[in-house]
Every structure is written in structure tokens, then in C-alpha cells.
PDB file of all heavy atoms in Angstrom:
ATOM      1  N   ILE H   1     125.551  71.278   0.563  1.00  0.00           N
ATOM      2  CA  ILE H   1     124.299  70.832   0.270  1.00  0.00           C
ATOM      3  C   ILE H   1     124.573  69.454  -0.614  1.00  0.00           C
ATOM      4  O   ILE H   1     123.852  68.479  -0.204  1.00  0.00           O
ATOM      5  CB  ILE H   1     123.408  71.716  -0.539  1.00  0.00           C
ATOM      6  CG1 ILE H   1     122.959  72.998   0.352  1.00  0.00           C
ATOM      7  CG2 ILE H   1     122.165  71.035  -1.233  1.00  0.00           C
ATOM      8  CD1 ILE H   1     122.262  73.926  -0.379  1.00  0.00           C
ATOM      9  N   LEU H   2     125.466  69.469  -1.543  1.00  0.00           N
ATOM     10  CA  LEU H   2     125.755  68.177  -2.306  1.00  0.00           C
ATOM     11  C   LEU H   2     126.370  67.166  -1.281  1.00  0.00           C
ATOM     12  O   LEU H   2     126.056  65.989  -1.401  1.00  0.00           O
ATOM     13  CB  LEU H   2     126.767  68.601  -3.401  1.00  0.00           C
ATOM     14  CG  LEU H   2     126.116  69.383  -4.595  1.00  0.00           C
ATOM     15  CD1 LEU H   2     127.218  69.676  -5.641  1.00  0.00           C
ATOM     16  CD2 LEU H   2     125.069  68.558  -5.168  1.00  0.00           C
ATOM     17  N   LEU H   3     127.163  67.629  -0.333  1.00  0.00           N
ATOM     18  CA  LEU H   3     127.797  66.734   0.627  1.00  0.00           C
ATOM     19  C   LEU H   3     126.608  66.085   1.464  1.00  0.00           C
ATOM     20  O   LEU H   3     126.636  64.832   1.627  1.00  0.00           O
ATOM     21  CB  LEU H   3     128.805  67.394   1.542  1.00  0.00           C
ATOM     22  CG  LEU H   3     129.326  66.622   2.577  1.00  0.00           C
ATOM     23  CD1 LEU H   3     130.182  65.353   2.129  1.00  0.00           C
ATOM     24  CD2 LEU H   3     130.218  67.460   3.586  1.00  0.00           C
ATOM     25  N   GLY H   4     125.664  66.869   1.821  1.00  0.00           N
ATOM     26  CA  GLY H   4     124.571  66.392   2.614  1.00  0.00           C
ATOM     27  C   GLY H   4     123.717  65.353   1.780  1.00  0.00           C
ATOM     28  O   GLY H   4     123.228  64.391   2.374  1.00  0.00           O
ATOM     29  N   LEU H   5     123.526  65.684   0.627  1.00  0.00           N
ATOM     30  CA  LEU H   5     122.723  64.836  -0.194  1.00  0.00           C
ATOM     31  C   LEU H   5     123.456  63.424  -0.454  1.00  0.00           C
ATOM     32  O   LEU H   5     122.970  62.343  -0.368  1.00  0.00           O
ATOM     33  CB  LEU H   5     122.386  65.433  -1.541  1.00  0.00           C
ATOM     34  CG  LEU H   5     121.384  66.605  -1.476  1.00  0.00           C
ATOM     35  CD1 LEU H   5     121.231  67.253  -2.881  1.00  0.00           C
ATOM     36  CD2 LEU H   5     120.056  66.119  -0.949  1.00  0.00           C
ATOM     37  N   GLY H   6     124.768  63.674  -0.617  1.00  0.00           N
ATOM     38  CA  GLY H   6     125.584  62.343  -0.811  1.00  0.00           C
ATOM     39  C   GLY H   6     125.598  61.579   0.518  1.00  0.00           C
ATOM     40  O   GLY H   6     125.570  60.360   0.439  1.00  0.00           O
ATOM     41  N   LEU H   7     125.680  62.142   1.737  1.00  0.00           N
ATOM     42  CA  LEU H   7     125.625  61.407   2.893  1.00  0.00           C
ATOM     43  C   LEU H   7     124.264  60.768   3.115  1.00  0.00           C
ATOM     44  O   LEU H   7     124.055  59.549   3.553  1.00  0.00           O
ATOM     45  CB  LEU H   7     125.899  62.379   4.241  1.00  0.00           C
ATOM     46  CG  LEU H   7     127.253  62.733   4.316  1.00  0.00           C
ATOM     47  CD1 LEU H   7     127.406  63.947   5.316  1.00  0.00           C
ATOM     48  CD2 LEU H   7     128.198  61.581   4.762  1.00  0.00           C
ATOM     49  N   ALA H   8     123.200  61.554   2.716  1.00  0.00           N
ATOM     50  CA  ALA H   8     121.779  60.895   2.809  1.00  0.00           C
ATOM     51  C   ALA H   8     121.730  59.657   1.842  1.00  0.00           C
ATOM     52  O   ALA H   8     121.156  58.656   2.241  1.00  0.00           O
ATOM     53  CB  ALA H   8     120.718  61.894   2.410  1.00  0.00           C
ATOM     54  N   ALA H   9     122.266  59.695   0.573  1.00  0.00           N
ATOM     55  CA  ALA H   9     122.391  58.660  -0.269  1.00  0.00           C
ATOM     56  C   ALA H   9     123.134  57.486   0.379  1.00  0.00           C
ATOM     57  O   ALA H   9     122.886  56.288   0.113  1.00  0.00           O
ATOM     58  CB  ALA H   9     122.899  59.064  -1.568  1.00  0.00           C
ATOM     59  N   GLY H  10     124.247  57.892   0.977  1.00  0.00           N
ATOM     60  CA  GLY H  10     125.105  56.895   1.730  1.00  0.00           C
ATOM     61  C   GLY H  10     124.290  56.054   2.848  1.00  0.00           C
ATOM     62  O   GLY H  10     124.464  54.888   2.943  1.00  0.00           O
ATOM     63  N   GLU H  11     123.289  56.780   3.411  1.00  0.00           N
ATOM     64  CA  GLU H  11     122.512  56.037   4.368  1.00  0.00           C
ATOM     65  C   GLU H  11     121.592  55.097   3.670  1.00  0.00           C
ATOM     66  O   GLU H  11     121.265  53.893   4.163  1.00  0.00           O
ATOM     67  CB  GLU H  11     121.573  57.131   5.110  1.00  0.00           C
ATOM     68  CG  GLU H  11     120.649  56.433   6.107  1.00  0.00           C
ATOM     69  CD  GLU H  11     121.328  56.127   7.221  1.00  0.00           C
ATOM     70  OE1 GLU H  11     122.422  56.576   7.651  1.00  0.00           O
ATOM     71  OE2 GLU H  11     120.834  55.083   8.004  1.00  0.00           O
ATOM     72  N   LEU H  12     121.221  55.300   2.464  1.00  0.00           N
ATOM     73  CA  LEU H  12     120.340  54.234   1.704  1.00  0.00           C
ATOM     74  C   LEU H  12     121.296  53.116   1.399  1.00  0.00           C
ATOM     75  O   LEU H  12     120.808  51.965   1.360  1.00  0.00           O
ATOM     76  CB  LEU H  12     119.820  54.870   0.463  1.00  0.00           C
ATOM     77  CG  LEU H  12     118.792  56.010   0.658  1.00  0.00           C
ATOM     78  CD1 LEU H  12     118.361  56.618  -0.691  1.00  0.00           C
ATOM     79  CD2 LEU H  12     117.592  55.466   1.296  1.00  0.00           C
ATOM     80  N   ALA H  13     122.450  53.359   0.942  1.00  0.00           N
ATOM     81  CA  ALA H  13     123.365  52.251   0.719  1.00  0.00           C
ATOM     82  C   ALA H  13     123.927  51.451   1.873  1.00  0.00           C
ATOM     83  O   ALA H  13     124.143  50.175   1.865  1.00  0.00           O
ATOM     84  CB  ALA H  13     124.565  52.761  -0.222  1.00  0.00           C
ATOM     85  N   LEU H  14     124.206  52.178   2.965  1.00  0.00           N
ATOM     86  CA  LEU H  14     124.725  51.574   4.107  1.00  0.00           C
ATOM     87  C   LEU H  14     123.790  51.947   5.282  1.00  0.00           C
ATOM     88  O   LEU H  14     124.083  52.774   6.100  1.00  0.00           O
ATOM     89  CB  LEU H  14     126.129  52.172   4.411  1.00  0.00           C
ATOM     90  CG  LEU H  14     127.149  51.863   3.394  1.00  0.00           C
ATOM     91  CD1 LEU H  14     128.377  52.740   3.631  1.00  0.00           C
ATOM     92  CD2 LEU H  14     127.455  50.472   3.168  1.00  0.00           C
ATOM     93  N   PRO H  15     122.664  51.178   5.406  1.00  0.00           N
ATOM     94  CA  PRO H  15     121.722  51.622   6.478  1.00  0.00           C
ATOM     95  C   PRO H  15     122.283  51.471   7.809  1.00  0.00           C
ATOM     96  O   PRO H  15     122.992  50.598   8.145  1.00  0.00           O
ATOM     97  CB  PRO H  15     120.559  50.677   6.239  1.00  0.00           C
ATOM     98  CG  PRO H  15     120.831  49.801   5.110  1.00  0.00           C
ATOM     99  CD  PRO H  15     122.154  50.071   4.593  1.00  0.00           C
ATOM    100  N   GLY H  16     121.987  52.360   8.614  1.00  0.00           N
ATOM    101  CA  GLY H  16     122.323  52.334  10.018  1.00  0.00           C
ATOM    102  C   GLY H  16     121.934  53.466  10.877  1.00  0.00           C
ATOM    103  O   GLY H  16     122.275  53.768  11.981  1.00  0.00           O
ATOM    104  N   ILE H  17     121.197  54.365  10.132  1.00  0.00           N
ATOM    105  CA  ILE H  17     120.533  55.463  10.720  1.00  0.00           C
ATOM    106  C   ILE H  17     121.640  56.405  11.382  1.00  0.00           C
ATOM    107  O   ILE H  17     121.564  56.812  12.558  1.00  0.00           O
ATOM    108  CB  ILE H  17     119.457  55.147  11.688  1.00  0.00           C
ATOM    109  CG1 ILE H  17     118.433  54.138  10.946  1.00  0.00           C
ATOM    110  CG2 ILE H  17     118.749  56.341  12.173  1.00  0.00           C
ATOM    111  CD1 ILE H  17     117.329  53.738  11.870  1.00  0.00           C
ATOM    112  N   PHE H  18     122.737  56.617  10.748  1.00  0.00           N
ATOM    113  CA  PHE H  18     123.748  57.545  11.283  1.00  0.00           C
ATOM    114  C   PHE H  18     124.155  58.655  10.229  1.00  0.00           C
ATOM    115  O   PHE H  18     124.136  59.774  10.509  1.00  0.00           O
ATOM    116  CB  PHE H  18     124.871  56.809  11.713  1.00  0.00           C
ATOM    117  CG  PHE H  18     126.034  57.675  12.305  1.00  0.00           C
ATOM    118  CD1 PHE H  18     125.897  58.157  13.567  1.00  0.00           C
ATOM    119  CD2 PHE H  18     127.029  58.067  11.616  1.00  0.00           C
ATOM    120  CE1 PHE H  18     126.756  59.028  14.097  1.00  0.00           C
ATOM    121  CE2 PHE H  18     128.081  58.834  12.133  1.00  0.00           C
ATOM    122  CZ  PHE H  18     128.046  59.388  13.315  1.00  0.00           C
ATOM    123  N   LEU H  19     124.410  58.173   8.926  1.00  0.00           N
ATOM    124  CA  LEU H  19     124.727  59.248   8.041  1.00  0.00           C
ATOM    125  C   LEU H  19     123.732  60.232   7.671  1.00  0.00           C
ATOM    126  O   LEU H  19     123.944  61.223   7.259  1.00  0.00           O
ATOM    127  CB  LEU H  19     125.152  58.322   6.648  1.00  0.00           C
ATOM    128  CG  LEU H  19     126.315  57.571   6.713  1.00  0.00           C
ATOM    129  CD1 LEU H  19     126.621  56.848   5.455  1.00  0.00           C
ATOM    130  CD2 LEU H  19     127.569  58.324   7.034  1.00  0.00           C
ATOM    131  N   ILE H  20     122.396  59.783   7.857  1.00  0.00           N
ATOM    132  CA  ILE H  20     121.407  60.771   7.600  1.00  0.00           C
ATOM    133  C   ILE H  20     121.501  62.027   8.491  1.00  0.00           C
ATOM    134  O   ILE H  20     121.193  63.088   7.974  1.00  0.00           O
ATOM    135  CB  ILE H  20     119.996  60.164   7.807  1.00  0.00           C
ATOM    136  CG1 ILE H  20     118.852  60.998   7.203  1.00  0.00           C
ATOM    137  CG2 ILE H  20     119.660  59.720   9.210  1.00  0.00           C
ATOM    138  CD1 ILE H  20     118.891  61.126   5.637  1.00  0.00           C
ATOM    139  N   TRP H  21     121.944  61.871   9.716  1.00  0.00           N
ATOM    140  CA  TRP H  21     122.051  62.971  10.630  1.00  0.00           C
ATOM    141  C   TRP H  21     123.198  63.927  10.186  1.00  0.00           C
ATOM    142  O   TRP H  21     123.033  65.105  10.405  1.00  0.00           O
ATOM    143  CB  TRP H  21     122.160  62.526  12.061  1.00  0.00           C
ATOM    144  CG  TRP H  21     121.238  61.472  12.458  1.00  0.00           C
ATOM    145  CD1 TRP H  21     121.322  60.245  12.963  1.00  0.00           C
ATOM    146  CD2 TRP H  21     119.757  61.820  12.420  1.00  0.00           C
ATOM    147  NE1 TRP H  21     120.178  59.578  13.086  1.00  0.00           N
ATOM    148  CE2 TRP H  21     119.109  60.414  12.961  1.00  0.00           C
ATOM    149  CE3 TRP H  21     118.950  62.727  12.026  1.00  0.00           C
ATOM    150  CZ2 TRP H  21     117.786  60.330  12.903  1.00  0.00           C
ATOM    151  CZ3 TRP H  21     117.490  62.495  12.015  1.00  0.00           C
ATOM    152  CH2 TRP H  21     116.975  61.335  12.560  1.00  0.00           C
ATOM    153  N   LEU H  22     124.270  63.217   9.739  1.00  0.00           N
ATOM    154  CA  LEU H  22     125.299  64.201   9.250  1.00  0.00           C
ATOM    155  C   LEU H  22     125.009  64.866   7.990  1.00  0.00           C
ATOM    156  O   LEU H  22     125.304  65.856   7.654  1.00  0.00           O
ATOM    157  CB  LEU H  22     126.567  63.229   9.039  1.00  0.00           C
ATOM    158  CG  LEU H  22     127.243  62.521  10.167  1.00  0.00           C
ATOM    159  CD1 LEU H  22     128.467  61.662   9.764  1.00  0.00           C
ATOM    160  CD2 LEU H  22     127.730  63.518  11.233  1.00  0.00           C
ATOM    161  N   GLY H  23     124.165  64.149   7.163  1.00  0.00           N
ATOM    162  CA  GLY H  23     123.677  64.737   5.859  1.00  0.00           C
ATOM    163  C   GLY H  23     122.728  65.818   6.299  1.00  0.00           C
ATOM    164  O   GLY H  23     122.820  66.884   5.596  1.00  0.00           O
ATOM    165  N   LEU H  24     121.951  65.852   7.273  1.00  0.00           N
ATOM    166  CA  LEU H  24     121.048  66.948   7.654  1.00  0.00           C
ATOM    167  C   LEU H  24     121.869  68.070   8.123  1.00  0.00           C
ATOM    168  O   LEU H  24     121.612  69.250   7.878  1.00  0.00           O
ATOM    169  CB  LEU H  24     120.141  66.586   8.664  1.00  0.00           C
ATOM    170  CG  LEU H  24     118.945  65.594   8.249  1.00  0.00           C
ATOM    171  CD1 LEU H  24     118.028  65.119   9.342  1.00  0.00           C
ATOM    172  CD2 LEU H  24     118.117  66.313   7.175  1.00  0.00           C
ATOM    173  N   GLY H  25     122.940  67.795   8.829  1.00  0.00           N
ATOM    174  CA  GLY H  25     123.866  68.770   9.367  1.00  0.00           C
ATOM    175  C   GLY H  25     124.669  69.491   8.217  1.00  0.00           C
ATOM    176  O   GLY H  25     124.695  70.793   8.198  1.00  0.00           O
ATOM    177  N   ALA H  26     124.910  68.811   7.187  1.00  0.00           N
ATOM    178  CA  ALA H  26     125.613  69.356   6.013  1.00  0.00           C
ATOM    179  C   ALA H  26     124.741  70.232   5.168  1.00  0.00           C
ATOM    180  O   ALA H  26     125.063  71.321   4.775  1.00  0.00           O
ATOM    181  CB  ALA H  26     126.185  68.242   5.054  1.00  0.00           C
ATOM    182  N   ILE H  27     123.435  69.776   4.999  1.00  0.00           N
ATOM    183  CA  ILE H  27     122.467  70.552   4.315  1.00  0.00           C
ATOM    184  C   ILE H  27     122.135  71.866   5.027  1.00  0.00           C
ATOM    185  O   ILE H  27     122.017  72.927   4.479  1.00  0.00           O
ATOM    186  CB  ILE H  27     121.195  69.775   4.052  1.00  0.00           C
ATOM    187  CG1 ILE H  27     121.474  68.634   2.957  1.00  0.00           C
ATOM    188  CG2 ILE H  27     119.996  70.610   3.503  1.00  0.00           C
ATOM    189  CD1 ILE H  27     120.403  67.567   2.781  1.00  0.00           C
ATOM    190  N   GLY H  28     122.035  71.651   6.414  1.00  0.00           N
ATOM    191  CA  GLY H  28     121.771  72.792   7.180  1.00  0.00           C
ATOM    192  C   GLY H  28     122.921  73.836   7.104  1.00  0.00           C
ATOM    193  O   GLY H  28     122.740  75.067   6.959  1.00  0.00           O
ATOM    194  N   THR H  29     124.212  73.360   7.007  1.00  0.00           N
ATOM    195  CA  THR H  29     125.284  74.332   7.010  1.00  0.00           C
ATOM    196  C   THR H  29     125.254  74.848   5.614  1.00  0.00           C
ATOM    197  O   THR H  29     125.689  76.140   5.606  1.00  0.00           O
ATOM    198  CB  THR H  29     126.570  73.342   7.169  1.00  0.00           C
ATOM    199  OG1 THR H  29     126.567  72.727   8.356  1.00  0.00           O
ATOM    200  CG2 THR H  29     127.809  74.235   6.960  1.00  0.00           C
ATOM    201  N   GLY H  30     124.952  74.149   4.562  1.00  0.00           N
ATOM    202  CA  GLY H  30     124.845  74.839   3.314  1.00  0.00           C
ATOM    203  C   GLY H  30     123.864  76.090   3.248  1.00  0.00           C
ATOM    204  O   GLY H  30     124.064  77.069   2.677  1.00  0.00           O
ATOM    205  N   LEU H  31     122.698  75.771   3.816  1.00  0.00           N
ATOM    206  CA  LEU H  31     121.709  76.781   3.845  1.00  0.00           C
ATOM    207  C   LEU H  31     122.247  77.996   4.648  1.00  0.00           C
ATOM    208  O   LEU H  31     121.944  79.139   4.412  1.00  0.00           O
ATOM    209  CB  LEU H  31     120.353  76.260   4.373  1.00  0.00           C
ATOM    210  CG  LEU H  31     119.817  75.172   3.605  1.00  0.00           C
ATOM    211  CD1 LEU H  31     118.394  74.532   4.342  1.00  0.00           C
ATOM    212  CD2 LEU H  31     119.281  75.702   2.165  1.00  0.00           C
ATOM    213  N   ALA H  32     122.890  77.783   5.915  1.00  0.00           N
ATOM    214  CA  ALA H  32     123.336  78.792   6.691  1.00  0.00           C
ATOM    215  C   ALA H  32     124.400  79.560   5.930  1.00  0.00           C
ATOM    216  O   ALA H  32     124.407  80.763   6.107  1.00  0.00           O
ATOM    217  CB  ALA H  32     123.847  78.189   7.962  1.00  0.00           C
ATOM    218  N   THR H  33     125.194  78.852   5.240  1.00  0.00           N
ATOM    219  CA  THR H  33     126.328  79.506   4.516  1.00  0.00           C
ATOM    220  C   THR H  33     125.721  80.473   3.403  1.00  0.00           C
ATOM    221  O   THR H  33     126.129  81.481   3.190  1.00  0.00           O
ATOM    222  CB  THR H  33     127.242  78.546   3.886  1.00  0.00           C
ATOM    223  OG1 THR H  33     127.822  77.665   4.945  1.00  0.00           O
ATOM    224  CG2 THR H  33     128.441  79.114   3.049  1.00  0.00           C
ATOM    225  N   ALA H  34     124.666  79.962   2.658  1.00  0.00           N
ATOM    226  CA  ALA H  34     124.066  80.709   1.686  1.00  0.00           C
ATOM    227  C   ALA H  34     123.366  81.848   2.324  1.00  0.00           C
ATOM    228  O   ALA H  34     123.472  83.075   1.725  1.00  0.00           O
ATOM    229  CB  ALA H  34     123.051  79.910   0.903  1.00  0.00           C
ATOM    230  N   ALA H  35     122.801  81.830   3.500  1.00  0.00           N
ATOM    231  CA  ALA H  35     122.031  82.993   4.099  1.00  0.00           C
ATOM    232  C   ALA H  35     123.053  83.976   4.748  1.00  0.00           C
ATOM    233  O   ALA H  35     122.790  85.179   4.618  1.00  0.00           O
ATOM    234  CB  ALA H  35     121.028  82.556   4.988  1.00  0.00           C
ATOM    235  N   LEU H  36     124.090  83.584   5.365  1.00  0.00           N
ATOM    236  CA  LEU H  36     124.902  84.347   6.147  1.00  0.00           C
ATOM    237  C   LEU H  36     126.286  84.662   5.658  1.00  0.00           C
ATOM    238  O   LEU H  36     126.981  85.395   6.197  1.00  0.00           O
ATOM    239  CB  LEU H  36     125.027  83.685   7.647  1.00  0.00           C
ATOM    240  CG  LEU H  36     123.710  83.375   8.372  1.00  0.00           C
ATOM    241  CD1 LEU H  36     123.997  82.562   9.650  1.00  0.00           C
ATOM    242  CD2 LEU H  36     122.982  84.744   8.617  1.00  0.00           C
ATOM    243  N   GLY H  37     126.659  83.912   4.617  1.00  0.00           N
ATOM    244  CA  GLY H  37     128.126  84.118   4.038  1.00  0.00           C
ATOM    245  C   GLY H  37     129.161  83.654   5.012  1.00  0.00           C
ATOM    246  O   GLY H  37     130.004  84.438   5.270  1.00  0.00           O
TER     247      GLY H  37
END
């Protein structure tokens, strides 16, 4: 989740509409890891 938030913040610093998608993937992975171990 922190990695995802960092990637989303990176999108703000380096706009290109690419890091945001990786950030969403990382946040989703964090949620799946929390739910499914």
C-alpha cells in the first residue's frame, strides 16, 4: 500500500499517466495480501 501511494505521488512529480496504474496495482496487491495472506 505504501509503495502504491509512493507511485501515485511519483505520478504527480513526473506526470505521464503511467505510474498511477502501477500504484493502483500495488494498492490492490496490498489489499489482496491483507485479505488472503
Side-chain angles (χ1 to χ4, degrees):
I1 291 171
L2 290 175
L3 175 65
L5 293 174
L7 288 167
E11 180 71 31
L12 295 174
L14 304 167
I17 309 180
F18 182 76
L19 292 178
I20 191 68
W21 309 121
L22 297 177
L24 290 173
I27 291 170
T29 301
L31 296 173
T33 299
L36 304 173

